[in-house]
Amino acid sequence: MITGTIFDIRKYSLHDGPGIRTAVFFKGCPLECAWCHNPESQSFSPELIVHPKRCIACRACVEVCLQAAIDERLGTDRGRCLACGDCVPVCFSDARELVGREMRLDRVMDQIKSDRVFYEQSGGGVTFSGGEPLSQPVFLQAALAACRELGIHTALDTCGHADWEVIDQVRSGVDLFLYDLKLFDEERHKAATGVSNALVLDNLRRLSELGHTVIVRIPIIPGANDDRGGLEQLGAFVAALPGAPPVELLGYHQTAEAKYASLGREYALKGLPSPDRERMQSLAGILSGCGVTVLNEW
Amino acid sequence: MPMTERVRKLRQQSLEAEETLSSERAELLTEFYASGAVGPGVSIPVQRALAFQYLLEHKTIYIGAGELIVGEKGPAPKQAPTYPELCCHSLADLNVLDAREKTRFRVEPGTREVYRDTIIPFWQGDSMRDLIFSGMTDDWKEAYQAGIFTEFMEQRAPGHTVLDDKIYHKGMLDFIAGIEARLEALASRQDRDTAAKREELQAMRIAAGALIRFGERHAEAARTQAAGESDPRRKAELERIAEVCSRIPARAPRDFHEALQYYWFVHLGVITELNTWDAFSPGHLDRHLEPFYQQGLAAGALTRDSAEELLHCLWIKFNNQPAPPKVGVTAAESGTYTDFAQINLGGVQADGSDGVSEVTYLILDVIEDMRLLQPSSSIQVSEKNPQAFIRRAAEIIRTGFGQPSVFNSDLIVEELLRMGRLLEDAREGGSSGCVEVGAFGKEAYILTGYFNLPKVLELALYNGLDPRTGKQLGPQSGAAKAFSSFEALYRAFEQQLQHFIEIKVQGNHVIERLYADRMPAPFLSLLIDDCIAAGKDYHSGGARYNTSYIQGVGMGTITDCLSAIKQHIYAARVGRDPLPQLTMPQLLKMLEADFSGFERERQMLLNRTPRYGNDEAAADDLLVKVFESYFRAVDGRKNTRGGEYHINLLPTTCHIYFGSVTGATPDGRQAWTPLSEGISPVQGADRRGPTAVLKSAARIEQVRTGGTLLNQKFTPQLLADEKGLQSLVDLIRSYFKLGGHHIQFNVVDADTLIRARACPGEYRDLIVRVAGYSDYFCDLSEALQDEIISRTGHERF
């Protein structure tokens, strides 16, 4: 049975496509955005998360850890920790959690299938998100095919950074692309995400040419991509695409800060304020000015 | 329409009036019986009718400044009468009611004196409460004291019924004509019951006349006020009130105003005759009023605004009537002023077609404007109803005051059909009280008591002994340590369950007969088919349908307990499973210690057990198993009124009381803390969101109940945008497709969030809308929690 590395399956997801959806989060992403609100999704390997507030100091973890990575004050030495996960099953208060596990396709499909009544009622379905689902193309393709078989609507939430061959392989199984665009300028894109955006832009153009249903999603990160010039470049690009796909703006928020802490990682954007509604509206105005349809309700 | 100045004032008065215990009814009743007006030759039904007549003839008539709908249960708004014939308050009770911090009733010094000198000496030892307790077996009393079940009738009369449309076509004079026709038909016959039937019918005739007189007294008072009124507008209103009150209740209403006033007099009649459970309800008010509304609009005599103002006035009337003050232990504990009148909206008409009308939307506006504790309201959702109806209700739900609640109208029809109702009677049915179903206008459906399912499991673990008191309460069903399998334990639970249901039902039989013989309700009876035709009282099987309910409590808790036992004691360990295997003696030791010194084991029980509410078969199968056992133990038993027992699953607030008598449980719950409520999962046990909860809850075959209660918590942010609102509607529709009976949404405020932050373990299921997405509140950083709390604060109404 085919497997994928999944870090979460979330039911009653309302903001990743139409209707009531189940979001399946793939672990591992080719990009390294500093603002990533799912930092646990970035690495392809399992990671240990610690929730100190849940700890009851039973010390069961200390006893099973062969690496001696957990000290007497129950702190975790990330240098020693191999994320083997041995401490997780003995931690009955769920203070230690391993994110990212190999899941069999049928298990994932069981989770997806269980909410069919809600999809059918609401016009919802499943959204494959991440991480980057296209980084696990074999599993993704199989999951899409299984959904198609069952008549379940599929959305693919992607950063678009994949070889066209990969996208070409899976695209027939995708009903809706939620396609992230961050920056148009290649150098700035490289600086912010660690990769060039050449593939991203090219793949989006090809999908549009082939007539796929696409919603472009632009995260608004203060200081990184919320300048007029950058947005106008993006707007002009999108407006010129065949079918001119609509755009949804996603405002930056600080919710990820706690997640960075529980992974034992530094959060680079600490203290960065979220853009307020007026700011978001004015940025949306810039895009509208380029001839782009902005979907957000304000 | 915004509230008129009049309505704003009346509403404010209603909110500000202090709940006060009134001795007027008790005094009048005592006066009546002490006067010797009824000799021993007068039958009990006729005595009761004459007493009712005396009350309505002598009680204070109240017409407040600016009122359009008139009449109060007490001498003035928020003045609560007492019912010493059912339960007589002691001086200590009065002190408790007066002194307690929450849901207090003010007791005037004069009231205390009257009680001391007149009421208590006359009624003490002779009230229904006294008779009930002296009529119960020792087994019953011990189980009752141990908190295995409660008894509804020990201080309130079995009422719990709802009106159909009959009063909108018939005045009290028409009822009297019907009664007389029955009496005439009986005159030529001489069967065994004829004399009793004649007495009952005569009592109903007196009661109908008494309500006419009550209307006339209001007409007279309005006329007197009008004569002295200098403001010509108010004078005209008072004259109109006088006209309405002298038309109805004697004759059928002709317009919207008369229809509302008539219902209100009938409502007051029912709750003056006895302190029936769940007050009384008008049922499908939108449907009943629609013809009057349309006819008024067509005639130009009514506008949407004037109809709305009249409805506002009726709403305020409901809010003016606090629930009867309790006695004994419940006087200290009972924590609500609400008397559970519930207005039904939508659903289907008698012919099965869509029941949503213009008045439905009008009443939804009224609910939103009034934001009052009473009356409660519900939408009855059918496949046939338009989406706009549910959307409108969802908009009100998201304002966060818990109304309206949401029912599956199509399932309710099926439930009633399963219980043997005619199709048209089932469609006229709906929900009342919390979630209970009945055929409106034709059924006496009596809630008899809550039943503590986790406590029964506790007894099974202790061989029938109550570990709290050391008393042997149940049969010796086997020592737990000797159970070789989960099934053996389960059989012991079923044995205890059967035993206590049997005790409860035997007690109910006695209580039913006491009410039938001693406390007939001729006024209520004339409103419910087929009491007149049968010449029988509502309390002795006169209604067309006669249900007795026992309400199971703690489904979530007991499911998780069974799941924990199965998982940690009886499930085989495979390979190098990190879960230690527990033995029964180890588990009992932990429970006896209330997990003190066993926190790691408690965490294991909490977090390594399949738990109900996560759409997980391992737990939900056990839920179904318990449901089947409870259903089989209760459903189909005969009551003494010619009807049957059915179950429902709701707790009101009893899960707190039942928790307070139940020690630590195998699901990791600590001693004396609340049980789960309704069919909701244990607080914090559901961790996969609302769809998983609904899927789990729908595993119960709810069509075989007479009502289940499911609570869901949401924050206002989750419903703030269009998508959130539409998804709420979709959740409701989906749950009902799956066979759900009822759901209500707790759109929580900042206070709850603050508590959630302090005790995250109890609020793990709380979902909040964060920014472009939703998350579990307790998983958020403290700073973000603060931010959301402050945001919610701004959104509060």
Side-chain angles (χ1 to χ4, degrees), chain A residues 178-189:
Chain A
L178 301 170
Y179 203 103
D180 288 7
L181 279 189
K182 283 99 180 172
L183 283 156
F184 185 78
D185 182 272
E186 189 174 3
E187 285 315 308
R188 287 177 69 189
H189 193 274

Side-chain angles (χ1 to χ4, degrees), chain A residues 14 17 90-92 94 114-115, chain B residues 600 607-608 691 695 723 772:
Chain A
L14 301 187
V90 301
C91 180
F92 294 155
D94 289 342
S114 65
D115 272 7
Chain B
R600 180 156 192 266
N607 297 321
R608 293 291 187 276
T691 60
K695 289 279 306 289
K723 180 74 188 277

Side-chain angles (χ1 to χ4, degrees), chain A residues 10-21 37 51 53-54 56 58 60 86 88-94 96 111 113-123 250-259 297, chain B residues 387 576 578-580 599-601 603-604 607-608 615 687-688 690-692 694-695 714 718 721-724 727-728 730-731 733-735 737-738 764 767 769-776 779-782 784-785:
Chain A
R10 187 153 293 200
K11 310 277 184 77
Y12 200 61
S13 170
L14 301 187
H15 298 90
D16 296 295
I20 295 173
R21 311 189 72 81
H37 68 272
H51 306 280
K53 275 197 279 185
R54 296 185 190 164
I56 57 164
C58 68
D86 281 355
V88 173
V90 301
C91 180
F92 294 155
S93 62
D94 289 342
R96 306 178 80 78
Q111 292 289 315
K113 278 191 283 190
S114 65
D115 272 7
R116 276 175 93 174
V117 65
F118 301 98
Y119 313 150
E120 282 163 17
Q121 174 62 43
S122 65
L250 307 175
Y252 164 80
H253 49 76
Q254 292 177 31
T255 54
E257 193 173 329
K259 288 188 182 176
E297 292 170 27
Chain B
Q387 285 295 86
R576 41 185 287 270
L579 278 187
E599 186 54 25
R600 180 156 192 266
E601 289 77 2
Q603 292 295 330
M604 177 179 85
N607 297 321
R608 293 291 187 276
D615 193 15
R687 295 169 188 184
R688 293 191 189 167
T691 60
L694 301 188
K695 289 279 306 289
F714 280 83
L718 191 62
D721 63 3
E722 275 301 296
K723 180 74 188 277
S727 300
L728 186 76
D730 289 327
L731 270 185
R733 288 278 199 196
S734 305
Y735 183 49
K737 268 188 196 168
L738 294 169
R764 283 181 75 152
I767 296 169
R769 176 122 174 79
V770 182
Y773 77 111
S774 310
D775 208 341
Y776 285 100
D779 287 349
L780 303 175
S781 72
E782 281 181 12
L784 189 61
Q785 288 183 340

